[in-house]
Amino acid sequence: MLKDITIGQFFPGKSIVHRLDSRIKIILTIVFIFMLFMADSFYGLGVGIIYVLGAFLLSKIPFKMMLKSLKPLVPILIFTGILNIFFITAGDPVFEWRFITVTDMGLRTAAYNMIRIIGLIIGSSLLTYTTSPIALTDAIERLLSPLKKIKVPVHELAMMMTIALRFIPTLIEETDKIMSAQKARGADLETGSLLQRAKALVPILIPLFVSSFRRAEDLALAMECRCYHGGEGRTRLKQLKTAPRDYVALVITAGFVFLTVFADKLA
Amino acid sequence: MAIIRTENLTYVYGDGTPFRKVAVDNVNLSIDEGEFVGVIGHTGSGKSTLIQHLNGLLQPTSGSVYIDGEKLWEDKKRLRDIRFKVGLVFQYPEYQLFEETVYKDIAFGPKNMGLSDDEIDRRIRETARMVGIKEELFDKSPFELSGGQKRRVAIAGVMAMEPKVLILDEPASGLDPKGRDKILGQIREYHKEKKNTVLLVSHSMEDVAKHAGKILVMNNASLYCYDTPVNVFAKASELSAMGLAVPQITRVFKRLDQMGCNIGEEVYTVDFAKNLMLKLLNRNNNMEE
């Protein structure tokens, strides 16, 4: 069950998408999200979907991984769909039964929003699949660095994010281990009432907390031993550099933005 | 009758992903009741994965596991009972402690079995004695104990379920030599007293040679051999080829043999070596007289 978490999962590769500058990738992802929300027709949304699918193909990430990232969101998708279908009353009714009215407008909005969410997930998971967590936080730090002027601790925030991302797999592994150990002692995690199940989590959460604190202390000590003292005067091993391909990606994306906005008129 | 039996047991991690890895490959195994088995293999040889199949924590990708004649995973509801029958102590078991007091933590397993309070109390006292935890520690928080004590409390927590098979994954790792000998000695005492089956996973040949009656060697996810120490250590060169060293004392005597001392016997513990030396010295003395 814990193995299904795909947040922050990185798929190493050498494709053009992998090699793009991580700052550019973040910007493109944000632009893509705007694209999805600017589009107000199926044509516009179609352009957005073609854009993200094209990027996915270029990245050579197995198609299965895309479906895997969508799987946990199925309940949210269904919920959004139902909400839009039944609660939008504007437009021409296509179906009426007692107090339930379904309008063409409701159906359309539901479809739009579901497509938008799907696009959103595919786009952002493409970003994490093709960018290592370290490159990602580096890029965030660089993109946010203007905020340093107004005393936002950008470096510290980025470092916190790096550490958090770094420890997700470790914590998952640790949880798995503790769960196995308590199961071996007869802990029953799968059956019983809600209260019983919540209680059954205590033997897992306490050791997990204890070891997280221990880990945090160890890490802090290890960082201090290597003279870590925050972002001041720190240089990087890997400099982020833009290459011609990054500008090409920007131009192509700009083209797609144009298409999205004018898709209606062009069609 | 064999208490543990596996048939073509295979386990694959991450099947269908780029990270696919065969961790246990077609293992056929039969362990008799009352045996003290040492399980060895270098890191990543599949020993930890193998033992997690024996109490139904992992489901085989293919093949099957029989405990006491009962096939695992036939009925998922029976798995919990199987886990009481096959007690598994994980590596670094002290990280699983969670209760307010030592007493309550040892009681966790027996309580899950649904035993009476008297029975639980008896078991706690008995296992605590066996692992050398004094009764005045019962009301302390397990987090106040020393590393070695914590480890012994955690082991007691599994022993208190009085499993027919006790499996310990590297119970001595990270302890100093004294603590290691103490824990391994206590496990051997437990085996002597209870006559239960014990599986001791280790990568130290010395430890395994000293305590185990049979040795199971895992190599590259498959079972290399399951035999008595004498027969296993006779394959010294094959073992060192897979990165497993035979005990130092065995190597010393092998060398002596090669140098023409004519020992004629496999030596794998220091005690045995001592007796053998005395015997040989006596023989030589007698010959001189």
Side-chain angles (χ1 to χ4, degrees):
Chain A
M1 111 193 167
L2 290 168
K3 283 178 215 132
D4 295 334
I5 296 176
T6 54
I7 304 169
Q9 205 176 48
F10 171 52
F11 242 77
K14 286 201 165 67
S15 77
I16 178 102
V17 185
H18 282 88
R19 280 178 295 150
L20 281 183
D21 187 300
S22 46
R23 288 169 297 179
I24 300 290
K25 271 192 271 190
I26 291 180
I27 293 170
L28 293 186
T29 310
I30 295 168
V31 169
F32 168 66
I33 293 169
F34 274 107
M35 233 155 92
L36 282 178
F37 284 91
M38 277 187 312
D40 52 359
S41 70
F42 280 114
Y43 297 111
L45 285 171
V47 171
I49 295 292
I50 289 170
Y51 172 75
V52 77
L53 287 183
F56 221 102
L57 279 178
L58 282 177
S59 73
K60 301 204 174 77
I61 303 275
F63 194 68
K64 230 166 75 185
M65 294 310 296
M66 190 169 90
L67 297 180
K68 209 175 157 192
S69 64
L70 281 173
K71 219 170 78 184
L73 278 126
V74 170
I76 295 180
L77 274 175
I78 294 173
F79 184 71
T80 320
I82 290 176
L83 219 64
N84 280 306
I85 289 172
F86 292 110
F87 289 90
I88 292 180
T89 46
D92 302 323
V94 281
F95 175 79
E96 264 177 297
W97 182 73
R98 294 200 189 165
F99 56 91
I100 297 172
T101 323
V102 177
T103 66
D104 59 344
M105 180 98 146
L107 283 175
R108 206 170 334 130
T109 321
Y112 283 0
N113 282 337
M114 279 160 80
I115 293 171
R116 278 182 188 134
I117 293 176
I118 291 173
L120 211 71
I121 301 304
I122 296 175
S124 46
S125 54
L126 183 63
L127 176 68
T128 54
Y129 282 153
T130 57
T131 321
S132 76
I134 302 294
L136 209 58
T137 42
D138 262 8
I140 291 173
E141 186 177 345
R142 288 301 297 276
L143 288 174
L144 294 182
S145 58
L147 293 178
K148 274 183 196 159
K149 295 235 161 63
I150 53 164
K151 297 253 162 31
V152 177
V154 174
H155 171 78
E156 281 69 19
L157 287 174
M159 181 54 88
M160 271 158 67
M161 240 179 88
T162 313
I163 293 172
L165 282 173
R166 155 68 186 77
F167 277 96
I168 288 174
T170 313
L171 281 179
I172 290 176
E173 200 182 307
E174 183 104 7
T175 315
D176 258 347
K177 234 186 240 163
I178 295 171
M179 269 167 82
S180 298
Q182 306 299 23
K183 268 200 223 161
R185 293 209 279 167
D188 187 6
L189 305 170
E190 276 117 30
T191 60
S193 68
L194 203 63
L195 188 72
Q196 276 171 321
R197 273 198 237 185
K199 260 189 176 163
L201 284 179
V202 173
I204 290 157
L205 291 180
I206 291 179
L208 196 62
F209 269 115
V210 172
S211 74
S212 304
F213 279 112
R214 186 173 42 82
R215 246 178 239 292
E217 267 171 27
D218 287 354
L219 182 69
L221 194 64
M223 284 167 81
E224 266 173 17
C225 285
R226 290 177 221 179
C227 304
Y228 177 80
H229 56 82
E232 203 68 24
R234 217 173 138 74
T235 55
R236 314 199 153 272
L237 176 64
K238 280 190 183 156
Q239 297 285 348
L240 293 171
K241 278 199 190 92
T242 49
R245 57 172 171 268
D246 295 309
Y247 298 108
V248 173
L250 278 175
V251 171
I252 293 175
T253 310
F256 270 93
V257 172
F258 178 81
L259 274 178
T260 318
V261 176
F262 296 104
D264 266 353
K265 280 151 207 145
L266 292 172
Chain B
M1 198 183 79
I3 185 136
I4 299 172
R5 197 157 62 80
T6 67
E7 259 175 25
N8 307 321
L9 174 65
T10 301
Y11 186 77
V12 183
Y13 275 111
D15 210 1
T17 71
F19 309 108
R20 184 179 190 276
K21 187 179 179 291
V22 180
V24 176
D25 193 5
N26 204 19
V27 168
N28 289 291
L29 184 66
S30 174
I31 294 172
D32 288 325
E33 192 156 10
E35 207 82 65
F36 194 122
V37 183
V39 181
I40 48 171
H42 58 82
T43 328
S45 60
K47 46 191 187 342
S48 293
T49 314
L50 174 70
I51 56 167
Q52 285 186 56
H53 282 91
L54 305 181
N55 72 343
L57 278 175
L58 291 177
Q59 186 169 15
T61 312
S62 67
S64 38
V65 180
Y66 297 85
I67 297 297
D68 220 358
E70 184 184 342
K71 191 175 174 188
L72 263 60
W73 293 99
E74 289 271 85
D75 178 5
K76 280 196 181 183
K77 286 186 194 110
R78 295 273 308 135
L79 283 175
R80 210 162 158 240
D81 293 323
I82 294 290
R83 286 178 195 148
F84 296 134
K85 219 180 237 180
V86 183
L88 177 57
V89 181
F90 275 83
Q91 214 171 350
Y92 299 107
E94 56 272 31
Y95 295 146
Q96 75 198 33
L97 299 173
F98 72 98
E99 274 287 9
E100 293 155 57
T101 67
V102 168
Y103 185 90
K104 277 190 189 168
D105 207 283
I106 302 178
F108 181 68
K111 238 187 197 145
N112 284 331
M113 296 171 81
L115 300 172
S116 71
D117 284 352
D118 290 343
E119 176 64 12
I120 293 175
D121 187 70
R122 179 189 73 73
R123 289 185 176 198
I124 293 169
R125 283 173 206 284
E126 191 185 285
T127 48
R129 176 182 57 75
M130 261 190 248
V131 299
I133 292 290
K134 294 201 186 75
E135 300 210 350
E136 53 260 34
L137 293 178
F138 279 179
D139 290 326
K140 275 204 165 176
S141 158
F143 299 107
E144 288 170 36
L145 304 180
S146 74
Q149 284 173 327
K150 274 186 200 168
R151 171 113 16 132
R152 281 180 276 140
V153 169
I155 293 175
V158 176
M159 277 184 181
M161 304 195 301
E162 302 196 341
K164 280 184 117 166
V165 182
L166 180 68
I167 307 175
L168 301 112
D169 193 355
E170 305 256 3
S173 65
L175 295 181
D176 55 38
K178 218 171 156 190
R180 192 178 73 195
D181 286 345
K182 196 167 173 186
I183 279 190
L184 295 177
Q186 281 156 349
I187 292 165
R188 189 148 73 157
E189 281 303 308
Y190 164 87
H191 176 248
K192 248 193 206 159
E193 205 175 310
K194 292 275 180 186
K195 306 265 182 292
N196 284 349
T197 316
V198 174
L199 268 73
L200 176 72
V201 179
S202 174
H203 52 232
S204 156
M205 278 290 189
E206 260 87 11
D207 291 346
V208 166
K210 216 193 273 177
H211 303 285
K214 278 259 187 103
I215 295 181
L216 191 159
V217 184
M218 289 292 289
N219 185 38
N220 282 335
S222 38
L223 178 67
Y224 174 69
C225 66
Y226 175 58
D227 214 330
T228 56
V230 179
N231 290 338
V232 171
F233 293 136
K235 299 172 186 163
S237 53
E238 286 98 320
L239 289 176
S240 31
M242 19 174 132
L244 292 169
V246 293
Q248 278 176 350
I249 196 79
T250 310
R251 269 185 286 165
V252 170
F253 275 77
K254 271 247 156 79
R255 196 66 205 274
L256 284 173
D257 208 37
Q258 280 166 11
M259 287 164 73
C261 284
N262 197 17
I263 308 245
E265 274 183 87
E266 286 294 333
V267 180
Y268 52 89
T269 64
V270 177
D271 282 340
F272 187 78
K274 190 183 86 186
N275 291 333
L276 189 70
M277 295 255 285
L278 288 173
K279 214 165 78 188
L280 290 174
L281 284 173
N282 280 336
R283 190 180 70 190
N284 288 353
N285 284 344
N286 292 341
M287 270 159 58
E288 270 165 33
E289 274 166 18

